Amino acid sequence: MKQSAKVIENEKLIEDIEKRLDAFGADVKTQNVGTVEKITDQVVSVSGLSKAFMGEIVYFSQGSSGVVLNLDEDNVSVILLDKGETLNEGDKIKRSEKILSINVSDAILGRIVNPEGEPLDGKPAIKKGKDMPLEKIAAGVVEREPVNTPLKTGLKAIDAIVPIGRGQRELIIGDRGLGKTAIALDTIINQKATQETKKPVYCVYVAIGQKGSTIAQVIERLRSEGAMDYTTFVVAGASDPASLQYLAPYAGAAIAEYFLEKGKDVLVVYDDLTKHAWAYRQLSLVLKRPAGREAYPGDIFYLHSRLLERAVKLNNKNGGGSITALPIIETQAGDISAYIPTNVISITDGQIFLDGGLFNSGIRPAIDVGNSVSRVGGAAQTPAIKSVAGKMRIDLAQYRELAVFAQFGSELDPATAALLERGKRTTEILKQPQYQPLPEALEVLSLWAVTSGNLDEIPVEEISRFEKEYIEYAKTHYKKLIKDLEAGSKPNEDTLKEMQKSLQQFKKVFTIK
Amino acid sequence: MNKKIKQIAVASYTNGKLDPKKVTVIANTLTRKELKAYIKELKNIERKKRVTVVSPSPLEPAEKKIIAEKFSGKQIEYKEDLSLMAGVKIIDNDIIYDLNLKNILEDLASHISRNV
């Protein structure tokens, strides 16, 4: 009986294949082919391919693939996705009739891929999931809602002064070596705490045109901090073709959109968009597009605006997911009025400006409070942190102004002197070592200690040690207080009393050296 | 420059045929670089006018008639290639109509290697 069932099954299979033969001719198949005319630095000029469309993948007969980026009257310009060393003039090209996309499934978390979705970590290919297009029109206004949930970075200075919300685009800008990547990495590491909650934040780190050694360092760091499990790396390093560097951020956005469609929250770090603009400038110049200011092509603004517009907070009708973007821009000698920095500043919802002077005077993270803003993040701050950090920004600005005058050494009235002393302590408390993001409850404790005036009698040079030891003390002796603060609501009378008590008791055991 | 060369190439035709007189006059006045572009354009035009029909065995006159009707105004060239096994392959400049067994088997093979 079983045998005959098998025979019938086999027959059916053969019939199916036969049907394919029978259908011969019914399924009219046309192919649109082209011929390589000219190859110049990653850009191939092709004749034929009259039916090709923008952004389409094409395959060369020797095995390379490329993307259509220019359609002219009788030729098509294709950017190569690999080095194309074996490509020759006269090689044939086939259309794929598909727009460039990347295969994404849940298995992509914890992996390192190139902008085409091919693994770079030596592990097997990403499990077949969904093909996400690299270029996609961002969600419209009806699908969005205002930013309302905080994305905690774990850095006191940012969470208190330039808070970031889920779905926001916050630019990190500064010269090389001031800790731009460090801020982004701390933020990724801090998302570990959200993985156990109902709304975990997945992370995508896009490395564009970076040195291989730097990327390896970043990956190793995240791995040792246990942040790899929820992070995907999209890597187009300095030795990769400009075409891949140009596509990398879009691939990162496509991966984020896969999770967005599932109603998840995603954080994408674009490190950095200056090099992305360089890669696109290179391609545009080889494509002979007219060059504008600083030799960038005319659509350099749209290049970044269409990418960052894909950062979104969707309303509940559309799944309620979000994509938060942290683009990074490297400035030259602190010049934020250069072409690309001004472009990206105007696109994003605020910027975190890192200052070389602050960095060198030991203030790290070197956030310039005066030049940093967050245009929408305030709405996403929890009442707890809002209540302790509300006035901090203005106080700090006042302090900076007064500090300049105080340098002249003139006699100061007691009120001014007190303000200066408070400012010094606030600056001190906002310092934070790298890779040590704090949970919100502890941030509130630290910030409240200074804003409530409790640290006024502690010498400035002892503040760091005081804070560190106080946090350890609170963790062991005031577990309930920390739990109350974790809820994120504004501290009530009892909680405030408890906070005061904890500080006073700790001061008794703290010895000033 | 390319646009002008293109115009000259189109103008080299009289009643759909390449005019030898015009071509000699033009070829004599052009520089070496321009001449290269001119020849390329002429070849392009010729290619657009020609249709190649490849089949494993010679086609019947009735079949040829159907093809001639489909591609009226174009010069049709017939070729034989046994490797197609069955059916035809029609090459019209950069568009290829692959209506043969060889192509279907190749498609099937790539489909299997990609999805199985």
Side-chain angles (χ1 to χ4, degrees):
Chain A
M1 192 66 197
K2 250 187 187 172
Q3 194 102 35
S4 69
K6 233 179 197 175
V7 169
I8 290 170
E9 221 171 72
N10 287 349
E11 269 178 2
K12 211 171 156 268
L13 198 72
I14 293 166
E15 248 176 41
D16 279 350
I17 300 174
E18 266 184 333
K19 260 185 205 158
R20 254 192 96 110
L21 290 180
D22 287 342
F24 177 68
D27 168 32
V28 176
K29 204 148 174 243
T30 58
Q31 259 183 33
N32 190 202
V33 294
T35 317
V36 174
E37 296 283 338
K38 202 169 82 179
I39 310 166
T40 38
D41 301 304
Q42 299 297 310
V43 174
V44 182
S45 186
V46 173
S47 66
L49 283 188
S50 53
K51 300 264 162 75
F53 53 80
M54 283 292 277
E56 183 180 350
I57 315 176
V58 289
Y59 299 115
F60 293 88
S61 52
Q62 59 53 281
S64 292
S65 56
V67 181
V68 176
L69 213 64
N70 243 15
L71 296 172
D72 288 319
E73 197 182 338
D74 37 31
N75 66 62
V76 173
S77 295
V78 174
I79 53 166
L80 283 172
L81 293 179
D82 50 32
K83 294 200 170 110
E85 283 141 334
T86 53
L87 201 61
N88 283 316
E89 193 190 331
D91 279 351
K92 292 278 172 234
I93 304 152
K94 255 194 201 172
R95 283 182 62 198
S96 69
E97 295 175 37
K98 274 189 297 190
I99 199 147
L100 186 62
S101 51
I102 177 170
N103 168 43
V104 190
S105 64
D106 288 347
I108 206 163
L109 289 173
R111 299 295 303 270
I112 305 159
V113 296
N114 74 0
E116 291 177 90
E118 290 156 3
L120 298 175
D121 48 9
K123 292 180 192 162
I126 309 297
K127 216 177 109 209
K128 191 105 184 88
K130 199 173 168 193
D131 275 341
M132 300 300 295
L134 257 64
E135 292 279 1
K136 195 180 167 201
I137 298 291
V141 275
V142 271
E143 294 154 52
R144 293 177 186 244
E145 69 175 16
V147 170
N148 52 29
T149 323
L151 184 116
K152 293 165 195 158
T153 62
L155 293 164
K156 283 167 288 183
I158 294 175
D159 287 343
I161 295 166
V162 274
I164 301 170
R166 293 186 189 181
Q168 190 180 344
R169 302 158 295 174
E170 182 81 7
L171 169 69
I172 303 172
I173 184 167
D175 280 6
R176 82 240 125 27
L178 294 187
K180 298 184 297 296
T181 306
I183 288 180
L185 290 189
D186 276 349
T187 311
I188 291 178
I189 292 168
N190 198 45
Q191 303 317 312
K192 197 177 176 185
T194 67
Q195 301 306 313
E196 304 302 317
T197 61
K198 270 186 205 158
K199 275 283 202 178
V201 178
Y202 297 141
C203 303
V204 180
Y205 180 91
V206 186
I208 310 153
Q210 289 190 42
K211 290 189 290 264
S213 59
T214 316
I215 302 169
Q217 221 173 354
V218 167
I219 292 170
E220 201 37 56
R221 192 73 222 187
L222 289 191
R223 189 166 278 148
S224 66
E225 298 284 345
M228 262 320 257
D229 302 337
Y230 55 87
T231 307
T232 303
F233 272 86
V234 181
V235 174
S239 65
D240 285 321
S243 50
L244 285 187
Q245 293 182 30
Y246 154 64
L247 293 169
Y250 300 102
I255 293 170
E257 274 161 1
Y258 169 81
F259 293 108
L260 176 77
E261 281 180 5
K262 293 184 155 193
K264 303 279 190 219
D265 290 324
V266 192
L267 164 73
V268 194
V269 176
Y270 302 109
D271 195 1
D272 64 79
L273 290 188
T274 314
K275 294 196 183 74
H276 180 234
W278 289 350
Y280 188 58
R281 173 170 65 183
Q282 183 188 328
L283 286 176
S284 296
L285 289 174
V286 180
L287 281 165
K288 296 217 169 84
R289 289 180 178 175
R293 185 177 157 190
E294 290 175 31
Y296 288 108
D299 63 340
I300 194 83
F301 186 88
Y302 181 57
L303 175 82
H304 288 146
S305 70
R306 73 172 190 263
L307 169 72
L308 294 170
E309 200 55 22
R310 285 160 82 174
V312 63
K313 172 86 182 82
L314 292 178
N315 55 26
N316 281 334
K317 245 190 209 168
N318 290 290
S322 73
I323 296 178
T324 312
L326 287 183
I328 293 177
I329 288 279
E330 189 180 293
T331 52
Q332 307 294 327
D335 182 16
I336 49 171
S337 56
Y339 193 21
I340 303 301
T342 41
N343 273 357
V344 184
I345 285 173
S346 73
I347 294 164
T348 48
D349 306 311
Q351 72 274 357
I352 295 168
F353 182 65
L354 302 180
D355 183 72
L358 293 175
F359 185 86
N360 293 330
S361 60
I363 299 169
R364 291 168 203 182
I367 297 168
D368 178 347
V369 179
N371 277 323
S372 302
V373 285
S374 173
R375 292 187 197 119
V376 294
Q381 238 176 348
T382 59
I385 207 147
K386 217 179 220 169
S387 69
V388 294
K391 266 181 68 204
M392 205 175 233
R393 194 191 166 81
I394 303 162
D395 285 351
L396 269 175
Q398 256 179 347
Y399 159 68
R400 292 268 156 79
E401 220 164 87
L402 283 172
V404 177
F405 279 109
Q407 276 177 350
F408 296 119
S410 53
E411 289 265 321
L412 296 167
D413 63 284
T416 314
L419 220 126
L420 277 173
E421 286 304 309
R422 176 70 63 80
K424 277 182 201 161
R425 284 165 178 78
T426 312
T427 313
E428 203 61 30
I429 212 93
L430 289 180
K431 286 185 185 172
Q432 199 168 336
Q434 207 176 338
Y435 309 125
Q436 289 176 24
L438 282 179
E440 195 186 75
L442 299 179
E443 282 182 338
V444 172
L445 276 183
S446 279
L447 295 172
W448 187 80
V450 70
T451 52
S452 63
N454 273 300
L455 297 185
D456 289 354
E457 68 249 40
I458 310 283
V460 176
E461 53 279 6
E462 293 282 4
I463 296 279
S464 288
R465 191 168 64 87
F466 181 92
E467 185 206 7
K468 204 175 156 197
E469 289 176 16
Y470 169 56
I471 282 174
E472 287 308 316
Y473 178 80
K475 268 191 199 163
T476 45
H477 294 84
Y478 286 86
K479 282 185 183 144
K480 191 181 166 289
L481 173 66
I482 289 174
K483 201 153 195 206
D484 287 348
L485 288 173
E486 265 168 15
S489 51
K490 192 178 168 181
N492 55 24
E493 284 293 309
D494 293 340
T495 319
L496 283 176
K497 267 185 201 157
E498 191 75 0
M499 282 155 82
Q500 184 69 31
K501 197 178 130 200
S502 71
L503 263 171
Q504 237 124 43
Q505 283 193 340
F506 177 67
K507 271 189 200 167
K508 280 180 200 158
V509 290
F510 182 74
T511 47
I512 296 167
K513 280 175 189 167
Chain B
M1 180 196 102
N2 277 345
K3 240 184 189 164
K4 283 216 170 123
I5 297 279
K6 208 171 175 187
Q7 284 169 349
I8 296 170
V10 173
S12 310
Y13 285 83
T14 323
N15 300 327
K17 273 194 176 169
L18 205 54
D19 195 328
K21 264 189 204 165
K22 281 183 185 174
V23 173
T24 0
V25 172
I26 292 166
N28 284 338
T29 50
L30 293 177
T31 64
R32 198 181 144 77
K33 200 180 164 194
E34 287 164 340
L35 191 61
K36 255 187 171 175
Y38 176 65
I39 294 169
K40 203 175 148 194
E41 280 305 330
L42 285 182
K43 274 189 181 167
N44 250 340
I45 294 171
E46 284 301 311
R47 213 184 310 135
K48 277 180 192 160
K49 286 180 158 190
R50 198 182 306 138
V51 173
T52 313
V53 179
V54 189
S55 57
S57 54
L59 293 180
E60 302 282 323
E63 290 167 331
K64 282 188 178 173
K65 204 182 148 198
I66 295 170
I67 290 170
E69 274 170 16
K70 287 272 177 213
F71 297 98
S72 61
K74 290 198 178 186
Q75 200 184 328
I76 299 171
E77 187 186 3
Y78 293 95
K79 276 187 183 169
E80 278 173 42
D81 182 359
L82 277 174
S83 75
L84 293 186
M85 286 177 261
V88 287
K89 179 177 181 178
I90 304 170
I91 305 164
D92 178 8
N93 193 18
D94 68 338
I95 294 178
I96 300 172
Y97 301 87
D98 248 331
L99 306 161
N100 52 68
L101 188 55
K102 185 188 175 196
N103 180 259
I104 288 205
L105 289 177
E106 272 171 5
D107 270 5
L108 190 65
S110 75
H111 177 83
I112 289 169
S113 70
R114 243 183 299 129
N115 296 300
V116 182

